[in-house]
Amino acid sequence: MFETIVWATDGSDLAESVLPYVRELARLHDSRIVAVHVNELVGRFASAPMLPDEPEMRERIQQRVSELTADGFDASFELASGTGSVPELISSKARELGADLIVVGTHGHGGIA
């Protein structure tokens, strides 16, 4: 049913909290997992863009992808970048990848908050 699952992650503990669900869905459907991270611009220093903790985040995400691969999953890591909002960039990358499902963590506030 789900050939490709996008796991949208910023490398945070909250984003990683959904990884067990991604793993289980991928196992049940023999899905490919693509970790998608958005290069979020938070400002500029001189003329260069400033990206928060970017090298550390990329390393952490790549480590999770390596663990998925070691556990037998078809997993890869993709960066999404551009001028749109984070949700727009994630959905654009998911369309590009032909993803059937996007999995993201929530803050647990519910629909009203």
Side-chain angles (χ1 to χ4, degrees):
M1 180 180 240
F2 302 125
E3 289 183 29
T4 302
I5 299 172
V6 163
W7 169 43
T9 179
D10 60 3
S12 69
D13 291 338
L14 183 63
E16 288 200 20
S17 71
V18 300
L19 194 50
Y21 301 103
V22 172
R23 293 172 67 95
E24 183 63 15
L25 286 166
R27 186 189 64 72
L28 288 171
H29 299 279
D30 194 28
S31 307
R32 172 174 71 128
I33 301 169
V34 182
V36 173
H37 174 65
V38 174
N39 278 338
E40 188 173 7
L41 180 66
V42 295
R44 291 188 124 8
F45 179 73
S47 63
M50 290 176 51
L51 302 169
D53 303 322
E54 196 62 31
E56 294 85 6
M57 278 192 264
R58 286 187 193 182
E59 185 177 311
R60 184 173 182 178
I61 296 165
Q62 187 58 58
Q63 178 61 36
R64 296 303 168 260
V65 170
S66 296
E67 290 167 4
L68 288 165
T69 302
D71 289 342
F73 292 98
D74 177 3
S76 61
F77 177 38
E78 293 272 341
L79 286 173
S81 56
T83 58
S85 69
V86 170
E88 289 170 343
L89 292 170
I90 291 168
S91 64
S92 176
K93 180 59 80 169
R95 278 192 301 278
E96 177 186 317
L97 295 165
D100 305 292
L101 180 68
I102 301 171
V103 179
V104 298
T106 70
H107 290 281
H109 298 298
I112 295 174

